[in-house]
Amino acid sequence: MMIDMYGWNQDLEDSFKTHYENGLIPARILVEHRGLYKVITEHGELDGINSGKLYYENDKESLPTVGDWVAVTPIDGEDKVVIQHVLPRKSKFVRKIAGTTTEGQVVAANFDYVFIVASLNNNFNINRLERYLTTAWESGAEPVIILSKADLCDNTDERLIEVENIAFGVSTYAISSLEGIGISEIKKYFQEGKTSVVLGSSGVGKSTLINTLCGEEILKVNEAREGDDRGRHTTTHRQLIILEDGGMVIDTPGMRELGLWSEGEEGNALSDTFTDIDELAKKCRFRDCTHSNEPGCAVLEAIECGELERERLDNFNKLKRELRFIEGKKNARVRLEEKKKMKAMFKKYRR
């Protein structure tokens, strides 16, 4: 089937049996833009819309996104399908919706690698990289760090060491898409049947990288602004692109604000990102040590002797507070929704 080249496999086929019995066919979301979709099916590329039931009975996190496998109903006589179900996701990248709303937004799903792109120009920021790493570990896929625009950096080796010191066990590459530096090293990730998602701030070179991997200009590219090296938003929607070698890549718009979101235990993703602090904390005298002013704190001792940067601990505490705040708001929202349901049920019972 045509969808085989987009990652359809025997496990997915086996899990789809009930949907086949109900007259549905499999599809993968290629493009999502304001609730409208492009999907790939055995009949080719078609437009897609959500069924009313799918839209109204699910929260935003459960609605289809780029990379999702879905069960669809073809509309007779039209190049269009209705999306009825979203298949279970093996991985997903979720961020908090910008603003005061406490809801998560799934940016991409069903990928094997998370490419975090950070540019080696004046916009380089270690704290931002730690934030992206925390979200990448939360996704369930393997993070890979790409330091772009190496041709514009005079101290690439120093930057690499700086990143490797905070990204333990994460493969890191310095590249230049324009000059071809490091491109051959990262092509091994784009194997047939494998999907990668590319994340990063505006202007870091995500679109240029994808164009280089494609061998042609598939995505529009804008120059970074003069003066601050900050880019303009080039990509305006999410899309899945298939490469010549059979690998797939999901392009995402540049994010000026990456709000953390966690669905597991609060410290899991942070522990993966800050493994050095996590290991030091095990040596603290008190199990509930906050690493602020407690006696026998191994983390503070590491800072005093120069083994750990104070800025790294400060960013760890900042991200931890943010996750706790989001978790508290989520729990409050759940309690409010349950209360509304109970009131509705009681009102219906009294009638």
Side-chain angles (χ1 to χ4, degrees):
M1 291 193 295
M2 181 176 293
I3 58 175
D4 289 350
M5 62 190 299
Y6 287 87
W8 187 254
N9 56 40
Q10 191 58 51
D11 289 339
L12 288 167
E13 180 76 14
D14 292 341
S15 69
F16 207 84
K17 288 180 180 179
T18 302
H19 295 307
Y20 280 132
E21 293 170 0
N22 292 326
L24 306 178
I25 64 172
R28 194 174 194 190
I29 306 290
L30 300 182
V31 178
E32 189 274 325
H33 188 53
R34 298 183 179 179
L36 299 176
Y37 305 90
K38 288 286 185 183
V39 306
I40 188 70
T41 73
E42 60 189 28
H43 305 298
E45 190 174 310
L46 304 171
D47 293 327
I49 57 173
N50 289 320
S51 68
K53 182 177 181 181
L54 179 65
Y55 184 81
Y56 289 108
E57 293 187 2
N58 290 277
D59 57 22
K60 290 183 179 179
E61 279 190 70
S62 302
L63 294 177
T65 191
V66 174
D68 267 326
W69 287 103
V70 293
V72 304
T73 304
I75 300 177
D76 292 337
E78 297 186 41
D79 293 332
K80 186 180 291 185
V81 297
V82 179
I83 303 170
Q84 306 290 355
H85 301 281
V86 178
L87 274 61
R89 295 158 170 158
K90 71 176 183 180
S91 59
K92 59 181 178 179
F93 178 79
V94 189
R95 68 169 181 174
K96 178 187 172 295
I97 293 176
T100 57
T101 304
T102 310
E103 288 186 271
Q105 176 190 27
V106 183
V107 175
N110 297 316
F111 44 86
D112 302 281
Y113 304 106
V114 182
F115 277 75
I116 303 170
V117 184
S119 57
L120 286 168
N121 56 10
N122 293 336
N123 200 21
F124 181 80
N125 187 303
I126 280 290
N127 288 352
R128 185 191 303 131
L129 196 54
E130 289 173 337
R131 175 177 290 268
Y132 271 97
L133 263 177
T134 301
T135 307
W137 283 120
E138 183 72 26
S139 74
E142 178 183 343
V144 179
I145 296 175
I146 304 295
L147 301 178
S148 63
K149 305 185 182 182
D151 55 306
L152 302 179
C153 182
D154 296 328
N155 58 339
T156 301
D157 290 340
E158 293 177 20
R159 291 296 197 197
L160 275 170
I161 293 172
E162 192 175 351
V163 171
E164 289 168 355
N165 284 340
I166 63 98
F168 304 101
V170 178
S171 298
T172 303
Y173 303 89
I175 71 160
S176 169
S177 297
L178 295 179
E179 297 191 3
I181 299 171
I183 299 300
S184 59
E185 295 181 64
I186 64 175
K187 280 191 173 181
K188 63 183 179 182
Y189 294 98
F190 299 93
Q191 302 171 10
E192 184 175 356
K194 296 290 185 180
T195 303
S196 301
V197 60
V198 180
L199 305 172
S201 303
S202 300
V204 297
K206 300 188 302 297
S207 297
T208 304
L209 171 61
I210 292 173
N211 286 339
T212 301
L213 292 169
C214 290
E216 58 181 308
E217 189 168 345
I218 298 236
L219 305 174
K220 181 182 177 183
V221 175
N222 286 337
E223 294 294 332
R225 295 197 306 251
E226 293 185 9
D228 62 3
D229 281 335
R230 293 184 179 276
R232 306 177 182 92
H233 289 285
T234 303
T235 302
T236 58
H237 56 273
R238 299 180 290 277
Q239 57 186 314
L240 185 149
I241 300 164
I242 189 164
L243 307 177
E244 288 183 346
D245 58 4
M248 292 159 284
V249 59
I250 298 175
D251 184 34
T252 63
M255 300 177 190
R256 298 203 186 281
E257 177 185 346
L258 177 60
L260 295 183
W261 192 261
S262 177
E263 296 185 340
E265 294 184 16
E266 172 196 299
N268 287 351
L270 278 178
S271 294
D272 289 330
T273 303
F274 296 90
T275 53
D276 51 346
I277 295 178
D278 193 51
E279 288 299 316
L280 285 168
K282 295 175 183 178
K283 302 175 184 178
C284 291
R285 182 183 301 175
F286 305 107
R287 293 185 61 183
D288 58 349
C289 185
T290 63
H291 319 309
S292 53
N293 54 14
E294 295 91 340
C297 175
V299 175
L300 294 179
E301 289 174 3
I303 292 175
E304 289 178 8
C305 67
E307 293 180 10
L308 181 70
E309 294 289 336
R310 164 63 71 174
E311 186 179 5
R312 182 158 169 80
L313 176 61
D314 291 343
N315 200 38
F316 168 79
N317 287 330
K318 177 184 176 181
L319 298 181
K320 189 173 184 178
R321 287 194 300 270
E322 186 174 334
L323 282 172
R324 282 182 173 174
F325 176 78
I326 292 299
E327 193 63 29
K329 295 281 283 186
K330 282 167 59 179
N331 292 337
R333 191 187 71 183
V334 170
R335 288 194 297 269
L336 181 61
E337 290 173 352
E338 289 297 322
K339 188 175 181 180
K340 287 180 178 179
K341 288 180 182 178
M342 292 299 293
K343 281 186 175 180
M345 289 175 61
F346 183 68
K347 189 175 182 180
K348 184 177 180 181
Y349 175 77
R350 290 187 63 183
R351 288 177 181 172

